[in-house]
Amino acid sequence: GFWFFTSNTTKMDMDVDDTVSTVASESNRRLPSNREVLSNNEQFIPGSVLDTVTEEEIEILDLSEEAKMAKEKHEKLMEEYEQQKRSKGVVVPTEIPQVKARLRELGEPITLFGESHVDRRQRLKQVIAGLSLKGITLPEMREGADEEDEYMGEEENNELYYTPGSADLKNARINIVKHSLMRSQKRLMNSAKLRENLTVNDYEEAIRTDLAQYKTFEVGSSQFGDDRCVFSVKISPTRSHLATAGWSSVAKVWKVEDSKEVTTLQGHSDRINDICFHPLCGKSLPVTSANIATGSADGTVRLWSFKPDAERQGSSILPGHKDRVNKVEFHPMGRYLASSSYDRTWRLWDVETRQELLCQDGHGLGVYGMGFHPDGSLLVSGDQSGIAFIWDLRSGKSLMTMQAHASNILATKFSPNGYQCATASDDNTVKIWDLRKKRCLYTILAHNKLVSDIEFDPLHGNYLMTASYDQEIKLWSGIDWSHLATFKAHENKVTTVAIANNGQFFVSGSFDKTFKVWDIGQVAKPEVVNSDTTMNTTN
C-alpha cells in the first residue's frame, strides 16, 4: 500500500521506538516502525521528516486497480525474465529423438505445427526452466528411451516413399543421365592425365603460381545498376555481357567492356532476387529463345529473350511457387531450369515446353541457396534452418544431408573438381563438404557479418571467393582454405559476386546500388593447373 503522512509536527526529541511500543500495546496491534516503512533502497536518516512521524499519524490505503494490474504485470515479466535466464543454463539433448523423448516424459507435445528442430529444442529448455522455477523435481529419463526413440526417429526420417512422376519427368531423368555420364567421364579422364604428368611437388607449385595472380584483382569499372540495390549479377558465357537484378523489380543487361546498358528486362511486380544466363546464350541459342531467367519475390520465374539491339525483351512466366523465388539456375545442358523458394520447395522446369517437371519438398523451412553439379547429375539446396541436401537428379533420391550451420544457408556451390561443395550462411561461416566422405571437411570463419554469396574458380576450383555484408570480398585457397586476399571498394553491403568462365575478371553487386567489374589485366594464366581439372560447364 501507500503511506500518507497527515502531520509533520511532533517533538524532535521523541523516541520513535518507544512511541511505537506504546501505541501498539494500547491498540493491541503492531504497526511497522518508520525504519520498516522505508524500502530497502532508501536510507533512514535520524532527525528527518520520517523520523519525526508517529505511527498514530500514519494512514494505510489499499492499491488502486491500475496499480494492482501494473504490479501483476511486473511480476509476470519478472517471472518470464527469470525463466529465460534459467533456460540459458539448461542443458538439453541435441539429437531429435532424444529431444522428443524428453518432451514426451514431461507431458508436452513432441511437435507443434510448423516447428523446426531448433524451435523444439528451445521449447524444451523453456519447459525445464519453468518447472525448475516452480520448484518441481524433474523426472529422470526412463532407461532405454534414447534407443527406442532413436529407432522411431530413424524409421520416421529414413522412410522411403515415392511420389507420382510424369512421363516428361522420366524422360528428363534419362536425358540427365546421358548428359552427366559424358561430362563426368571427360572430367575424370582430364584429371587422370594430369596426375600422370605431374609430380606432387610440381602440382603444388603450379597451384600456388596459379593463385598468386588472383591477388591482383582491381576495380576496372563501376556503374549504378539499380535504383535500390544490385542483388544479383551474372556474366554471359561469351563474357561480352553481364546482367544485373535488383529490388526495383527491373533487370538490366550491360556490356562488359564499357559497362553501358544494352537492354531492360521489365515485367516482375516485386524485387528480383536472382538472374542467370542460359549456357548457350550468345552462342548457338536463338535470340528469341529463353536466354535469361529471373526469379522474383512476386513468386514467379520468368524466361526472357535476348535481342541486344532491342530496348525491351519479351518474356514468359513459369507460375507455381507459392512464395517468393530466391534462386534460379539453368542445368548445364540448358534444357532444364531449377528454382528455389520460401514455399519450402525447389522445382525443376522444362525450358522448351515451359512445364513444371518436379516439385521437390523435404525442407522444413524456406529454400534459399541452390546449385547444379558441374556434371549435371546432382543438385544442392539449402534452407533457413541451416540444413542442406544433395539430390540425385537421375533417381530423385536425397543422397546426403549437410547439417552444421547455426542459421540460414544463403548460398551453395559445387566445385569444378566434382567432389567438393561449399555452403555459406548468415552465421558468418563457409563450410566445405566432401561428397565422397559425406562430411564437413573444413569451416572457414570468413567474415564479420553474413556471407551473402560464394563462387569457385570456374576453371579448376583452385580458389573460393566470398562476399559479405561487412562490405568485403575475400579470396581463399582451394588447397588449405587459407586467406589469400581481401577486396574492398563498395560503400555498403556486398550482395553478390560472379566470376567469368575464363577466370580473368569478376563482377560484384552491392546495396550501394552499383556493380563493379574487377580484372587482373593481361597476366597470362599458367598452363599447368589443378589435377582435378574439369571442362568448362558452358562448353
Side-chain angles (χ1 to χ4, degrees):
F2 296 93
W3 299 91
F4 292 90
F5 305 100
T6 58
S7 174
N8 291 332
T9 59
T10 60
K11 295 180 179 180
M12 298 297 294
D13 56 351
M14 179 178 291
D15 187 277
V16 177
D17 292 334
D18 293 343
T19 303
V20 172
S21 303
T22 304
V23 174
S25 61
E26 291 177 356
S27 59
N28 293 325
R29 65 185 180 90
R30 181 183 181 279
L31 292 175
S33 68
N34 289 332
R35 290 176 174 84
E36 294 174 328
V37 170
L38 292 174
S39 66
N40 295 330
N41 296 327
E42 296 176 325
Q43 182 179 3
F44 183 80
I45 304 175
S48 63
V49 174
L50 287 178
D51 192 30
T52 62
V53 177
T54 66
E55 277 71 9
E56 291 178 333
E57 298 170 326
I58 296 176
E59 181 181 2
I60 302 176
L61 299 178
D62 294 332
L63 290 172
S64 64
E65 291 298 325
E66 291 80 3
K68 289 181 179 179
M69 291 177 62
K71 182 180 179 182
E72 292 176 357
K73 183 178 180 180
H74 175 72
E75 291 176 350
K76 185 177 180 181
L77 289 174
M78 289 301 297
E79 183 179 352
E80 292 178 355
Y81 170 75
E82 187 65 26
Q83 184 174 344
Q84 291 179 359
K85 184 178 179 182
R86 291 199 178 196
S87 67
K88 292 181 180 180
V90 174
V91 179
V92 297
T94 57
E95 297 295 330
I96 295 178
Q98 296 178 4
V99 173
K100 290 183 178 181
R102 193 59 171 157
L103 285 170
R104 184 182 294 112
E105 290 174 1
L106 298 177
E108 296 290 329
I110 63 172
T111 302
L112 299 179
F113 179 76
E115 185 180 50
S116 67
H117 173 53
V118 177
D119 298 332
R120 184 189 301 112
R121 191 167 180 267
Q122 184 62 30
R123 179 164 60 90
L124 175 59
K125 280 188 174 184
Q126 294 177 353
V127 169
I128 293 177
L131 295 177
S132 176
L133 194 61
K134 296 177 182 178
I136 300 176
T137 304
L138 298 177
E140 303 221 354
M141 280 187 85
R142 58 187 176 85
E143 188 176 354
D146 290 352
E147 292 79 2
E148 177 182 344
D149 289 298
E150 184 177 359
Y151 170 75
M152 293 173 61
E154 288 181 356
E155 183 178 18
E156 177 184 352
N157 294 332
N158 296 332
E159 180 183 359
L160 183 62
Y161 67 94
Y162 297 91
T163 55
S166 64
D168 293 334
L169 176 59
K170 180 180 179 181
N171 292 332
R173 295 199 189 281
I174 294 174
N175 293 335
I176 291 174
V177 168
K178 295 178 180 178
H179 176 82
S180 62
L181 285 176
M182 290 188 296
R183 294 182 70 89
S184 61
Q185 183 181 20
K186 186 174 181 179
R187 173 174 57 84
L188 293 174
M189 289 177 61
N190 292 337
S191 176
K193 288 180 180 179
L194 287 178
R195 284 195 179 96
E196 292 175 357
N197 300 328
L198 286 177
T199 65
V200 175
N201 293 334
D202 290 340
Y203 161 72
E204 293 181 353
E205 186 61 30
I207 298 299
R208 291 188 179 90
T209 304
D210 186 53
L211 292 175
Q213 62 180 326
Y214 298 114
K215 300 178 183 180
T216 64
F217 276 119
E218 294 181 352
V219 177
S221 63
S222 180
Q223 178 65 275
F224 284 99
D226 195 84
D227 295 335
R228 295 181 62 186
C229 84
V230 178
F231 204 70
S232 177
V233 295
K234 292 294 186 298
I235 302 172
S236 68
T238 59
R239 304 183 296 278
S240 58
H241 296 86
L242 65 90
T244 61
W247 284 5
S248 65
S249 74
V250 176
K252 299 178 181 179
V253 181
W254 313 75
K255 285 186 177 180
V256 172
E257 58 182 1
D258 54 11
S259 297
K260 288 187 177 180
E261 183 179 338
V262 174
T263 186
T264 301
L265 312 178
Q266 190 168 3
H268 285 290
S269 60
D270 206 338
R271 63 182 183 269
I272 302 176
N273 293 324
D274 199 17
I275 190 168
C276 64
F277 282 98
H278 191 284
L280 298 178
C281 177
K283 296 181 177 180
S284 59
L285 191 68
V287 295
T288 56
S289 299
N291 283 257
I292 302 173
T294 55
S296 169
D298 62 15
T300 65
V301 176
R302 282 181 178 263
L303 301 176
W304 304 83
S305 61
F306 180 42
K307 303 175 182 178
D309 56 344
E311 184 178 355
R312 295 285 188 272
Q313 304 294 332
S315 67
S316 57
I317 301 176
L318 302 180
H321 283 293
K322 299 178 182 179
D323 207 332
R324 71 186 194 188
V325 178
N326 296 313
K327 297 290 182 181
V328 290
E329 185 172 333
F330 281 100
H331 186 273
M333 69 186 299
R335 171 72 184 270
Y336 308 106
L337 176 81
S339 60
S340 65
S341 170
Y342 272 174
D343 63 7
R344 305 184 182 186
T345 69
W346 63 266
R347 306 188 184 216
L348 188 67
W349 310 83
D350 189 317
V351 175
E352 295 182 1
T353 63
R354 308 294 197 268
Q355 296 297 314
E356 178 186 304
L357 299 176
L358 174 66
C359 176
Q360 181 65 63
D361 55 11
H363 285 278
L365 293 177
V367 185
Y368 203 95
M370 180 200 65
F372 284 108
H373 189 276
D375 295 341
S377 57
L378 307 175
L379 181 141
V380 58
S381 59
D383 62 29
Q384 290 178 290
S385 66
I387 301 175
F389 294 98
I390 301 290
W391 305 91
D392 189 343
L393 298 176
R394 300 160 297 185
S395 64
K397 294 181 180 180
S398 174
L399 300 180
M400 179 179 173
T401 301
M402 301 183 290
Q403 187 172 357
H405 284 290
S407 192
N408 306 355
I409 294 178
L410 302 177
T412 59
K413 188 68 65 173
F414 283 106
S415 171
N417 63 28
Y419 59 84
Q420 288 179 332
C421 178
T423 56
S425 169
D426 64 3
D427 62 9
N428 307 348
T429 68
V430 175
K431 294 186 181 292
I432 308 298
W433 304 82
D434 193 312
L435 306 186
R436 303 164 301 181
K437 300 179 180 179
K438 291 190 174 182
R439 66 180 180 88
C440 180
L441 285 179
Y442 197 85
T443 298
I444 304 175
L445 304 179
H447 293 272
N448 296 324
K449 293 186 179 180
L450 67 83
V451 184
S452 55
D453 202 5
I454 52 177
E455 283 284 337
F456 274 102
D457 166 24
L459 292 176
H460 325 295
N462 287 346
Y463 65 80
L464 177 71
M465 184 175 289
T466 61
S468 171
Y469 276 18
D470 63 8
Q471 304 181 20
E472 294 182 344
I473 302 168
K474 293 186 178 182
L475 209 63
W476 308 87
S477 169
I479 302 175
D480 54 7
W481 310 110
S482 59
H483 177 250
L484 296 175
T486 298
F487 311 111
K488 188 171 182 179
H490 286 285
E491 299 177 355
N492 208 327
K493 306 169 185 175
V494 182
T495 56
T496 177
V497 289
I499 306 175
N501 55 25
N502 65 350
Q504 293 297 298
F505 68 93
F506 74 89
V507 183
S508 59
S510 168
F511 268 94
D512 62 12
K513 305 178 184 179
T514 70
F515 68 87
K516 300 183 186 298
V517 181
W518 308 67
D519 57 66
I520 55 176
Q522 303 300 320
V523 179
K525 294 176 67 66
E527 296 182 0
V528 180
V529 291
N530 193 326
S531 63
D532 294 302
T533 301
T534 184
M535 61 181 178
N536 191 331
T537 58
T538 59
N539 286 342

